[in-house]
Amino acid sequence: MSFKVNDNVTWVGKVDWELRKFHGEELSTHKGSTYNSYLVRGKEKTALIDTVWRPFAEEFVSNLKKEIDLNEIDYIVANHAEIDHSGSLPDLLREIPNTPVFCSKAGIKSLSGHYHQDWNFQPVKTGDKLDLGGKELVFIEAKMLHWPDSMFCYLTEDNLLFPNDAFGQHYASEHMFNDLVDQDELYREAIKYYANILTPFSSMVTAKIKEVVGLELPVDMICPSHGVIWRSDPLQIVNKYMEWADNYQENQVTLIYDTMWEGTRRAAEAVAAGIKEANDAITIKLYNAGRTDTNDIITEIFKSKGIVVGSPTINKGVLHSIAALMEMAKGLNFKQKKASAFGCYGWSGESAKLVSEMLDQAGFELINKDGLKMLWNPDEEAIAAAKAYGREIGSALS
Ligand code: FEO
């Protein structure tokens, strides 16, 4: 499959309908993904922007040969060294070994670290230009969006921005343009992508968008490296990123728990009922972390102004689904979100305190620093206490 993005740019990537996990097993991709590679033809020179993930390298090179004689590719641009975009470079450069590879300085380190090849690297920095004849590719470094080497490039005359991972979605589609796909699906994947990948870099997202907007470049399309191309009102996703990067929250509280014998589940439901009594306007969502996709929960945390996390005590600790979730949340460095902990126990009873400490270390503002401990399976009195705890949380989130 290939298709024309416009008269001068052809998409030569790969739609990966099967992908269900990304970054090893770390990130769920329920809707698959795409690895977008673009062939850009000027009047005199032709450039290839990025390649596709390593398992598809042979297919990629074979398809590319149907599109162009590889010897007519004058330049390769590696906007980002991560394997999903650079993984076909070894196969491609085996065929056209001296082709210059334009990337950031950090890109040379990353690409060399991955592939250990003596390629013809050409380091570029913000403002450097590559003349294709009648149009230029202008480079814009985008350090830590989301790797040190990440880079955007912009095609003059055609007014296309190639921002690599930024503005992407893990979303396989035959349509490949934002106006042709289901908008709910598109935005569900776009916000999940932001929440799980870009949250820690939000201050840099804001600064980079302001920098690029300040260049006053006309943008007809935004061509990311995953998912669909934004051609209809392309700045809509830029505006969304500005919202998401600004400590985004909706009027939502998310209760996340795991449970062994239903005690902590019953407590969660009682806490939720208490929140509703005190704050009827807030959206309340409950997830059993042991039974729910972790990245989907992370997306719900991203959308929340507060979270309530519960685990029973086991072996003086917490259930591993909660520990894993808290580790992921700590790395994502959420800001301006409130939180509280709870949990049942039979004898030693450390879990509520431990979850409170995890929430604190992950940067959440504790509503109640001790959390709620409940002995054995909660009786009526304990359920009433959980409701009261919920009311305290509901009021704090008003
Ligand atoms: Fe899509 Fe950072 O790789």
Side-chain angles (χ1 to χ4, degrees):
M1 172 185 168
S2 67
F3 64 88
K4 289 272 185 199
V5 175
N6 69 9
D7 289 345
N8 309 306
V9 178
T10 305
W11 180 97
V12 288
K14 171 68 188 175
V15 179
D16 184 355
W17 289 94
E18 278 196 353
L19 190 77
R20 290 296 176 267
K21 290 283 184 176
F22 191 77
H23 287 155
E25 299 297 313
E26 192 71 357
L27 177 65
S28 63
T29 52
H30 306 313
K31 296 284 180 187
S33 193
T34 77
Y35 318 107
N36 298 341
S37 171
Y38 300 95
L39 196 58
V40 182
R41 291 177 168 99
K43 286 200 180 97
E44 290 156 19
K45 301 286 184 185
T46 297
L48 179 76
I49 300 177
D50 294 322
T51 67
V52 308
W53 188 30
R54 198 165 181 71
F56 301 106
E58 197 178 324
E59 179 182 335
F60 169 75
V61 173
S62 162
N63 285 341
L64 193 57
K65 282 179 181 171
K66 293 175 194 157
E67 197 60 45
I68 189 170
D69 176 342
L70 297 186
N71 292 303
E72 290 176 12
I73 298 174
D74 299 291
Y75 310 124
I76 295 170
V77 174
N79 270 335
H80 179 28
E82 202 166 3
I83 316 304
D84 50 327
H85 309 296
S86 66
S88 301
L89 282 175
D91 283 45
L92 180 60
L93 285 166
R94 208 171 294 129
E95 304 244 7
I96 45 172
N98 298 317
T99 311
V101 177
F102 291 81
C103 59
S104 63
K105 265 190 185 171
I108 298 177
K109 282 189 193 166
S110 296
L111 289 166
S112 301
H114 281 304
Y115 302 111
H116 311 285
Q117 300 284 323
D118 189 22
W119 290 331
N120 179 10
F121 290 117
Q122 299 293 323
V124 289
K125 57 186 187 312
T126 296
D128 286 353
K129 294 171 181 169
L130 193 56
D131 191 355
L132 302 180
K135 59 193 71 194
E136 294 174 322
L137 276 173
V138 183
F139 298 104
I140 303 161
E141 291 167 273
K143 191 175 175 183
M144 297 318 297
L145 296 178
H146 65 129
W147 273 23
D149 68 285
S150 297
M151 190 169 79
F152 300 175
C153 55
Y154 174 82
L155 183 64
T156 64
E157 303 305 316
D158 293 52
N159 306 334
L160 303 187
L161 180 68
F162 299 90
N164 196 263
D165 280 329
F167 313 122
Q169 334 89 45
H170 287 304
Y171 183 30
S173 170
E174 283 298 305
H175 295 304
M176 293 302 298
F177 288 101
N178 69 311
D179 52 307
L180 301 181
V181 299
D182 182 298
Q183 299 302 291
D184 288 344
E185 277 189 353
L186 171 59
Y187 268 98
R188 201 174 306 133
E189 295 307 324
I191 196 170
K192 178 177 178 178
Y193 189 100
Y194 190 99
N196 283 273
I197 296 173
L198 290 165
T199 296
F201 312 112
S202 285
S203 61
M204 285 170 259
V205 169
T206 307
K208 185 54 59 181
I209 288 176
K210 285 183 178 169
E211 177 192 324
V212 174
V213 169
L215 298 173
E216 297 186 353
L217 302 167
V219 175
D220 289 355
M221 287 189 235
I222 295 177
C223 307
S225 59
H226 296 291
V228 300
I229 293 164
W230 301 90
R231 72 174 176 188
S232 170
D233 183 16
L235 294 183
Q236 64 178 283
I237 190 62
V238 177
N239 294 331
K240 273 288 169 202
Y241 265 46
M242 286 299 275
E243 270 184 57
W244 293 341
D246 189 19
N247 300 321
Y248 182 75
Q249 51 182 242
E250 298 175 14
N251 190 22
Q252 175 175 325
V253 58
T254 304
L255 288 85
I256 306 143
Y257 61 91
D258 203 344
T259 192
M260 294 169 72
W261 296 110
E262 307 296 332
T264 303
R265 176 187 62 76
R266 291 178 61 237
E269 291 178 5
V271 171
I275 293 173
K276 188 168 173 56
E277 281 175 19
N279 187 343
D280 195 35
I282 199 165
T283 298
I284 303 169
K285 295 184 183 177
L286 282 80
Y287 296 97
N288 180 325
R291 295 181 179 178
T292 310
D293 181 278
T294 306
N295 304 108
D296 290 341
I297 294 179
I298 288 290
T299 309
E300 296 301 332
I301 295 175
F302 178 76
K303 294 193 305 192
S304 298
K305 60 163 71 167
I307 64 170
V308 190
V309 181
S311 172
T313 297
I314 180 168
N315 299 332
K316 299 182 181 176
V318 304
L319 290 180
H320 72 266
S321 68
I322 295 297
L325 183 74
M326 286 295 94
E327 178 65 16
M328 195 176 277
K330 186 168 79 172
L332 290 169
N333 197 17
F334 291 109
K335 292 202 165 61
Q336 294 183 17
K337 294 188 191 295
K338 294 182 177 174
S340 234
F342 65 101
C344 294
Y345 69 102
W347 49 105
S348 63
E350 290 90 344
S351 66
K353 182 169 180 290
L354 287 171
V355 172
S356 295
E357 288 170 2
M358 290 173 188
L359 288 165
D360 182 47
Q361 285 167 13
F364 292 90
E365 181 190 330
L366 289 178
I367 294 169
N368 178 315
K369 71 179 176 51
D370 298 323
L372 177 71
K373 288 173 68 171
M374 315 184 82
L375 184 60
W376 297 114
N377 207 336
D379 58 11
E380 276 189 28
E381 193 180 326
I383 290 292
K387 280 188 184 172
Y389 189 63
R391 286 194 293 274
E392 180 188 344
I393 293 165
S395 298
L397 296 174
S398 294

